[in-house]
């Protein structure tokens, strides 16, 4: 039984955590240095999640479509792929 790739399993939580940090910064801290540091990290993680989900999904395009949702999309795609791998072929 396979499972989603390590790249997707690592970057999906990073994307979610970086978005949460950015939203906390915008709503509470208003620090430009935090936004400058975490913004590119979130952007890269977002793009990597989309690419990793597209590579992993194969004919199942639902996981790829879910990965496009900012923030939680990577986790949703991960869940979709994990349930697909858990089902017997």
């Amino acid at each position: 039984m396979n499972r989603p790739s390590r790249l997707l399993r690592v970057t999906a939580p990073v994307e979610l955590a970086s978005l949460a940090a950015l939203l906390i910064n915008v709503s509470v801290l208003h620090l430009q240095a935090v936004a400058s540091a975490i913004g590119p990290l979130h952007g890269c993680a977002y793009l990597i999640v989309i690419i990793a989900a597209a590579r992993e999904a194969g004919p199942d395009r639902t996981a790829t479509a879910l990965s496009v949702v900012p923030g939680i999309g990577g986790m949703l795609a991960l869940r979709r792929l994990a349930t697909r791998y858990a089902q017997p072929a």
Side-chain angles (χ1 to χ4, degrees):
M1 176 169 50
N2 293 331
R3 59 183 187 176
S5 69
R6 183 175 182 185
L7 180 64
L8 186 59
R9 287 184 285 130
V10 168
T11 55
V14 169
E15 179 198 3
L16 182 60
S18 63
L19 180 64
L22 283 172
L23 292 175
I24 289 170
N25 182 44
V26 166
S27 62
V28 178
L29 302 174
H30 305 290
L31 296 175
Q32 182 63 31
V34 172
S36 295
I38 298 178
L41 173 71
H42 173 68
C44 288
Y46 178 65
L47 292 175
I48 291 171
V49 162
I50 293 171
I51 292 167
R55 290 180 64 197
E56 190 77 23
D60 180 20
R61 294 295 168 201
T62 306
T64 305
L66 287 172
S67 70
V68 177
V69 177
I72 197 164
M75 299 301 284
L76 292 173
L78 206 80
R79 182 177 176 187
R80 169 79 178 191
L81 291 170
T83 57
R84 188 184 82 182
Y85 287 133
Q87 295 174 351

